[in-house]
């Protein structure tokens, strides 16, 4: 394998993003977690700067090592589940950099050691950069499910997909927050992924035909504004 990894998509982009936005970087292939995740300081292989100052916070890797997310350490409130929400500077422009200039361990690499193609020239090397700006708002609207595949029509081999109306926090898509079983927890092997930042994919072993299975989603699932998803069968008083 001599193909370098590249940055596929990034969020947020553009202007007027809420302060509680999480910075999300999606790569074209799995990257080495040793050089792609950490706490700043001292981690600097990925940075988010404002006015020339690098923001402090945590870089988390998830989605089978294809997604890295940055959350600052500046607390700014709580979501509807009582969880902490952290914020970027208000009304500011951020410069984000994913490092491909230099050598291991100071650059992003894939599992084979190929250095990031950050400048898009087809070869290893070069930094990937982008800018975005924030406003002075905090978005506390929770995500909702737009579509969940009917288990009666589910394939015995194809992934089971759940589509949300907002981009999700990839690091919240894990086996603690999402389960899948037949009769008892752990009796089905499954793997979770996030497609297009808002579609949860549950891959699994070949299922038994004409058999009931139970998927379970919890309020640990969050959107990219750190708001928890919760299911409610509510009625008016």
């Amino acid at each position: 394998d001599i193909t370098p990894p590249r940055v596929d998509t990034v969020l947020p982009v553009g202007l007027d993003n809420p302060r509680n936005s999480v910075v999300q970087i999606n790569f074209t292939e799995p990257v080495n977690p040793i050089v792609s995740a950490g706490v700043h300081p001292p981690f600097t292989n990925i940075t988010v700067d404002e006015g020339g100052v690098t923001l402090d916070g945590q870089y988390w890797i998830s989605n089978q090592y294809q997604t890295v997310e940055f959350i600052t350490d500046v607390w700014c409130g709580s979501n509807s589940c009582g969880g902490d929400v952290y914020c970027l500077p208000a009304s500011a422009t951020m410069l984000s950099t994913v490092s491909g200039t230099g050598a291991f361990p100071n650059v992003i690499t894939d599992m084979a050691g190929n250095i990031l193609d950050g400048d898009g020239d087809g070869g290893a090397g070069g930094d990937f950069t982008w800018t975005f700006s924030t406003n002075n708002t905090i978005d506390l609207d929770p995500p909702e499910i737009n579509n969940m595949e009917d288990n009666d029509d589910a394939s015995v081999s194809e992934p089971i997909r759940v589509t949300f109306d907002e981009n999700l926090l990839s690091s919240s898509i894990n086996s603690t927050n999402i389960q899948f079983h037949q009769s008892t927890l752990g009796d089905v092997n499954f793997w979770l992924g996030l497609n297009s930042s808002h579609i949860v994919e549950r891959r699994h072993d070949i299922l038994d035909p004409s058999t009931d299975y139970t998927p379970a989603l919890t309020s640990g699932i969050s959107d990219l504004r750190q708001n928890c998803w919760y299911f409610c069968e509510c009625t008016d008083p």
Side-chain angles (χ1 to χ4, degrees):
D1 177 7
I2 58 173
T3 302
R6 292 177 291 105
V7 173
D8 188 17
T9 61
V10 294
L11 290 167
V13 295
L15 308 175
D16 292 327
N17 295 282
R19 293 185 59 205
N20 55 323
S21 298
V22 174
V23 177
Q24 185 184 87
I25 306 156
N26 297 295
F27 295 92
T28 55
E29 61 174 298
V31 292
N32 187 339
I34 295 175
V35 296
S36 304
V39 178
H40 177 81
F43 179 78
T44 57
N45 290 3
I46 304 173
T47 58
V48 179
D49 297 350
E50 190 269 319
V53 177
T54 300
L55 303 182
D56 294 344
Q58 177 88 43
Y59 292 85
W60 304 86
I61 192 165
S62 57
N63 196 21
Q64 301 176 53
Y65 301 128
Q66 285 192 240
T67 300
V68 174
E69 292 167 327
F70 171 68
I71 301 177
T72 75
D73 61 2
V74 178
W75 184 87
C76 57
S78 301
N79 61 29
S80 56
C81 295
D84 292 331
V85 174
Y86 298 88
C87 280
L88 298 163
S91 303
T93 298
M94 312 295 160
L95 171 64
S96 301
T97 303
V98 185
S99 180
T101 301
F104 184 92
N106 300 315
V107 292
I108 302 300
T109 70
D110 64 12
M111 297 300 191
N114 298 302
I115 295 174
L116 177 78
D117 174 13
D119 54 16
D121 66 357
D127 295 340
F128 179 91
T129 63
W130 86 99
T131 61
F132 65 91
S133 68
T134 60
N135 53 37
N136 197 26
T137 66
I138 296 176
D139 175 6
L140 295 178
D141 291 333
E144 297 179 2
I145 291 177
N146 279 345
N147 182 64
M148 181 183 295
E149 291 180 352
D150 190 335
N151 280 356
D152 291 339
D153 298 326
S155 166
V156 297
S157 59
E158 289 298 311
I160 299 171
R161 296 178 177 87
V162 181
T163 302
F164 286 79
D165 67 339
E166 296 184 37
N167 294 319
L168 299 179
L169 184 68
S170 175
S171 52
S172 73
I173 307 305
N174 56 54
S175 57
T176 299
N177 298 332
I178 300 174
Q179 277 293 334
F180 183 59
H181 64 277
Q182 181 180 351
S183 56
T184 59
L185 291 178
D187 62 6
V188 177
N189 293 318
F190 67 96
W191 304 265
L192 296 167
L194 188 62
N195 188 354
S196 303
S197 294
H198 69 285
I199 302 173
V200 176
E201 291 190 335
R202 209 169 355 207
R203 299 181 179 275
H204 47 78
D205 287 343
I206 301 297
L207 304 179
D208 295 329
S210 303
T211 302
D212 290 334
Y213 290 86
T214 302
L217 290 79
T218 75
S219 59
I221 298 170
S222 300
D223 65 15
L224 271 183
R225 284 23 179 316
Q226 305 167 68
N227 298 303
C228 61
W229 172 82
Y230 61 91
F231 174 74
C232 177
E233 288 186 342
C234 303
T235 58
D236 293 332

